[in-house]
Amino acid sequence: MNRKNIHSDPKAYQTLADQVSPNSKMAQMLLRSFWVGGVICVLGQGLTDIGRLVLKLPSSAASTFASIVLVFLTALLTGIGIFDKIGQYAGAGSFVPISGFANAMVSPALEFRREGLVLGLAAKLFTIAGPVLVYGIGASVIVGLLYAIIRW
Amino acid sequence: MSNKRIGMQTINLPSKPYIIGNAAIVGKKEGEGPLGEHFDKVIEDEMNGQESFELAEKSLYLEAIDTCLQKAGIQADSIQFLLGGDLLNQIITASYAARDLAVPFIGLYGACSTMSESLGLGSMLVDGGHASHVLCAASSHFCTAERQYRFPLEFGSQRTPTAQWTVTGAGATLISSAPGRHPLARVVQISFGRVVDLGIKDANNMGAAMAPAAADTLCALFRDTKTTAKDYDLILTGDLGKVGHDLLLKLMQEHGMPLDDQHYTDCGLEIFDRESQDMHAGGSGCGCSAAVFNGFYLPLMAQGKYRRLVLMATGALMSPTSSQQGESIPSIAHAIVLETPKEGA
C-alpha cells in the first residue's frame, strides 16, 4: 500500500481499518436471534391460547392478554437487570418482538429517574421508543390512506 | 528556553520531576481482570454507596486522590495544583471532587487522553518551578459514560465486536520536585499531540479513530528525540483496544518506525481478559490508562523493571452531538517519557 495514502487519505485508511476490525459473526447472530425470537413468539402464542381456551376470552382480547403479560415480563426482567444480557445475546431476536418495545420504554424510565419525575423520567421516557412510534404510526397512517383510496 | 524544547513537538524537562505518589481505584469487573490484585482498592458496588452513578464516580476520584496522598505521606494542604478531568459533560467528576479538596484546580478535557495530558502539564509546572507538588487525576465510570454517550444501561442492545468497554476506575499521580521517601519514576520528556482525524465515523470503533493520532504523536517523539522504539523498554498506549493496537502497529510500520510487539502494549488490552470477560475490543475511558498506569506500571518502574517507558494515552474528541450530526471522530494522543528513579538500573 502507498505509504502517503494511509496517512492523508481517509479512504485508504478506512480500507485498512475495515481489514483489521473484526466483523460480527453473522451465522451465530442469526441463529441466536432466531431461536430467542422464536421462543418469545411461542410464549406469546401459548399465552394467547391460555387466554382463549382457559380464560374463555374472545380472540382479540386473548392477544391483548398475551401482549400485556409479555410487556410485564420484559419490564420485570429489565428492572432486575437481566433483559440487557438477553439483548446482548439475542440482538434483534429479543428487540423486534413486543419485548423490545417494553424494554425501550422501561430502561430510560429507570435510567433517568435520578434527574427527577418531570425532566428526567417523563421527558426521557420516549428517547428510544419515540422514533419507532413516530415513524411506525406515520407509516400506518399513510398505508391506511392508500388502502382507503385503492378500495374506493 | 532552548534546552526545554526539542524539535517540533517535544518538551524537555531538565529537572526530571519525580512521581512520588500513585493510586488506582477500580470497579468490580476491573478487579476481576488480570491486573485485579495490583489496584489499591476494588469497589464491589458500582454505586459505591452513593445516590447516583455520577456521585459514585466522584467518590472514586476522591478516593484515588486520598489514597495517593496517604501513600506518599503528603498532606492535602501541600498540594499546589490539582490537574485533572473525566469524560462527563463539563467534567463534573473532577470539578466536584476539586470542590471537596479545596486546592487550586485546573480542569482538563482530553477525553481518554486526560491522564497523559495532566501528567504532561503537571510535570511542566514542577519543572518550571511554579509548584513543588502537583496532583494529577483522571477517572471514568462505565455507567455514567454509557448513559451520556450511548443507551440506558438496561437497554438490551447488542455491542459490536469493535466496541470497547468503559473502565470504571480512577487513578491519581503525585508529581514533586523532590524525590520524597519513595520515588516511583521521573518524567523526562513530553510530546503533546496534534488533533488527527482520518475520517472514521463509527463511535463503536474508537480504536480505529484514535490509532492515527497515536501514530502521529509517537512519530513526533521519535523524530524530535532521535530515538526509535528500541530505546524504550515499553510503549504503553491508553485505550486503543485490539483494533487500535493492531492498526498502530501497521501505521508505524508504514511510517518506517516499526514497533516491537514485545515492547508495545495497550492498557485497554491489559485491564480485561477480553475472551472470558466478553469485552470485545478491550477497555476504554480516562480511567483505563489512569488505573493501569498508576496501579500496575508505576510500581514496576520504581523497582527498575522498566527503565524507560512511554505512556501515551489517546483520546477520541467527539461528542454525542457531533456523532449524531455525522461528523468524523477527531483524536489526540500525548506521550510522556518516564525513567526509573533507580540509579544505574
Side-chain angles (χ1 to χ4, degrees):
Chain A
M1 195 176 289
N2 186 329
R3 181 191 298 182
K4 204 177 170 191
N5 272 350
I6 287 189
H7 304 296
S8 58
D9 180 5
K11 265 192 195 142
Y13 182 65
Q14 183 74 52
T15 311
L16 181 71
D18 288 344
Q19 281 168 12
V20 172
S21 305
N23 289 317
S24 299
K25 292 170 190 158
M26 206 46 121
Q28 187 194 52
M29 281 169 64
L30 287 173
L31 196 71
R32 285 176 173 185
S33 56
F34 181 77
W35 87 256
V36 176
V39 166
I40 293 173
C41 294
V42 167
L43 193 65
Q45 186 58 50
L47 287 163
T48 312
D49 290 348
I50 289 173
R52 216 158 36 87
L53 303 173
V54 181
L55 302 174
K56 308 284 183 215
L57 295 168
S59 62
S60 65
S63 2
T64 310
F65 166 75
S67 300
I68 291 171
V69 174
L70 283 178
V71 166
F72 169 77
L73 285 177
T74 309
L76 184 70
L77 290 175
T78 303
I80 57 179
I82 291 176
F83 194 85
D84 61 318
K85 293 182 179 70
I86 300 176
Q88 171 61 33
Y89 176 85
S94 59
F95 186 70
V96 172
I98 198 164
S99 51
F101 188 75
N103 172 245
M105 295 289 290
V106 175
S107 57
L110 284 171
E111 184 86 16
F112 295 103
R113 171 68 186 85
R114 187 65 183 73
E115 279 81 7
L117 284 173
V118 177
L119 293 177
L121 190 151
K124 299 276 176 69
L125 192 57
F126 289 94
T127 42
I128 303 169
V132 181
L133 289 176
V134 169
Y135 293 110
I137 295 171
S140 70
V141 168
I142 293 170
V143 171
L145 282 173
L146 284 175
Y147 178 70
I149 292 167
I150 290 165
R151 227 170 52 136
W152 175 68
Chain B
M1 167 77 191
S2 59
N3 70 334
K4 293 204 176 186
R5 278 201 76 88
I6 324 170
M8 292 291 287
Q9 272 172 261
T10 305
I11 281 158
N12 199 29
L13 304 173
S15 75
K16 299 186 183 180
Y18 290 90
I19 292 179
I20 61 163
N22 66 322
I25 315 282
V26 298
K28 187 160 180 275
K29 268 203 165 70
E30 292 71 19
E32 288 163 356
L35 305 180
E37 57 182 300
H38 299 284
F39 300 121
D40 293 288
K41 187 178 168 190
V42 177
I43 57 157
E44 290 301 316
D45 166 23
E46 56 202 7
M47 293 286 269
N48 201 21
Q50 305 290 314
E51 279 180 27
S52 70
F53 293 128
E54 285 74 15
L55 289 174
E57 185 176 341
K58 188 203 92 177
S59 72
L60 282 185
Y61 199 96
L62 274 177
E63 275 191 52
I65 287 174
D66 288 344
T67 311
C68 177
L69 293 177
Q70 210 176 357
K71 282 165 75 180
I74 299 284
Q75 297 295 318
D77 52 16
S78 5
I79 301 304
Q80 288 144 341
F81 288 104
L82 168 64
L83 268 64
D86 57 277
L87 289 179
L88 301 187
N89 292 338
Q90 289 79 40
I91 52 167
I92 51 171
T93 305
S95 304
Y96 279 66
R99 179 185 66 182
D100 294 3
L101 207 67
V103 299
F105 168 60
I106 301 177
L108 302 173
Y109 184 78
C112 309
S113 72
T114 305
M115 197 67 234
S116 286
E117 188 182 17
S118 61
L119 282 176
L121 290 170
S123 307
M124 284 166 70
L125 285 172
V126 171
D127 184 67
H130 306 291
S132 59
H133 293 93
V134 176
L135 195 53
C136 304
S139 74
S140 54
H141 192 302
F142 175 76
C143 301
T144 60
E146 282 294 302
R147 70 200 300 253
Q148 176 173 310
Y149 287 98
R150 284 175 279 271
F151 290 116
L153 292 171
E154 303 302 336
F155 181 57
S157 61
Q158 212 162 23
R159 299 156 58 76
T160 65
T162 56
Q164 291 173 249
W165 185 277
T166 306
V167 165
T168 299
T173 312
L174 181 59
I175 304 172
S176 164
S177 52
R181 61 181 186 191
H182 180 53
L184 294 151
R186 303 184 75 171
V187 186
V188 189
Q189 283 152 350
I190 309 153
S191 292
F192 284 109
R194 306 186 288 188
V195 176
V196 177
D197 186 343
L198 277 185
I200 298 290
K201 290 184 176 176
D202 183 2
N204 284 313
N205 196 354
M206 291 199 291
M210 296 190 293
D216 191 69
T217 304
L218 204 50
C219 287
L221 173 70
F222 289 169
R223 216 171 29 232
D224 290 347
T225 58
K226 300 187 173 58
T227 53
T228 67
K230 289 192 173 59
D231 293 304
Y232 305 94
D233 294 337
L234 186 72
I235 290 165
L236 181 66
T237 51
D239 60 348
L240 291 178
K242 178 69 179 138
V243 177
H245 169 275
D246 294 356
L247 279 168
L248 183 61
L249 286 177
K250 279 192 194 299
L251 290 172
M252 293 306 288
Q253 187 80 41
E254 294 290 332
H255 275 297
M257 301 182 185
L259 295 182
D260 170 4
D261 206 13
Q262 295 297 309
H263 299 105
Y264 163 53
T265 190
D266 182 72
C267 298
L269 294 176
E270 300 286 308
I271 194 162
F272 294 123
D273 184 329
R274 289 189 307 125
E275 291 301 319
S276 71
Q277 294 187 290
D278 192 26
M279 284 301 160
H280 299 243
S284 69
C286 299
C288 183
S289 54
V292 173
F293 171 69
N294 281 294
F296 186 63
Y297 286 102
L298 267 181
L300 291 178
M301 290 207 76
Q303 294 164 22
K305 290 210 170 123
Y306 293 106
R307 288 165 296 131
R308 277 169 73 78
L309 179 146
V310 179
L311 170 72
M312 186 169 63
T314 48
L317 303 172
M318 85 298 186
S319 83
T321 307
S322 68
S323 291
Q324 282 169 4
Q325 293 180 351
E327 298 294 325
S328 56
I329 302 172
S331 300
I332 197 157
H334 304 299
I336 313 289
V337 182
L338 300 132
E339 273 179 8
T340 180
K342 280 207 158 182
E343 296 294 328

